[in-house]
Amino acid sequence: MDVAVWSALADPTRRAILGLLLEGPRSVGELVEACGLSQPGTSKHLRVLREAGLVRVERDAQRRLYALEPAPMAELDAWLAPYRRLWNSSLDALGRRLDAGSEDPHQDGAAGRRDTEKRKGPEQP
């Protein structure tokens, strides 16, 4: 995985720009308006994204449109796949444990707390 991709994705503004480009190609002006940044600031972020290979520039007459470049994202997704499987299996195990625990009324909610309080008796100050 290219370090430039990680560096580009580390910035929340650049991730927001990528999110906007998911909807389709946009001009710098549209991105400036949507992000609330200055034109030079937006252009700097786009340059980083372009150099990392995450976006490409398309010409539309006089306009330059920025669009997502899917290949680096696919590479990132492939790299994350084993970690996603690890998390999914851990979350599945947690879900099974929580489901098993909710079958016992003494382990769940206010009813379980009331039963426990009855057995212990009144609290002493």
Side-chain angles (χ1 to χ4, degrees), residues 91-103:
L91 291 173
D92 289 345
L94 175 61
R96 286 189 300 274
R97 181 154 182 124
L98 292 173
D99 288 344
S102 67
E103 293 170 5

Side-chain angles (χ1 to χ4, degrees), residues 22-97:
L22 274 172
E23 300 168 8
R26 293 181 181 237
S27 68
V28 175
E30 291 171 315
L31 293 169
V32 165
E33 186 177 321
C35 291
L37 297 173
S38 67
Q39 191 276 328
T42 302
S43 292
K44 286 179 184 180
H45 286 296
L46 287 167
R47 185 183 76 238
V48 171
L49 291 168
R50 192 178 64 245
E51 289 173 355
L54 293 165
V55 299
R56 67 180 180 277
V57 181
E58 301 173 348
R59 295 244 180 233
D60 180 32
Q62 299 294 341
R63 298 183 334 153
R64 292 172 56 153
L65 298 177
Y66 287 83
L68 281 179
E69 186 60 54
M73 297 303 249
E75 185 180 337
L76 177 63
D77 184 57
W79 186 85
L80 288 170
Y83 300 97
R84 192 176 302 111
R85 282 191 298 272
L86 172 71
W87 274 105
N88 285 342
S89 65
S90 296
L91 291 173
D92 289 345
L94 175 61
R96 286 189 300 274
R97 181 154 182 124

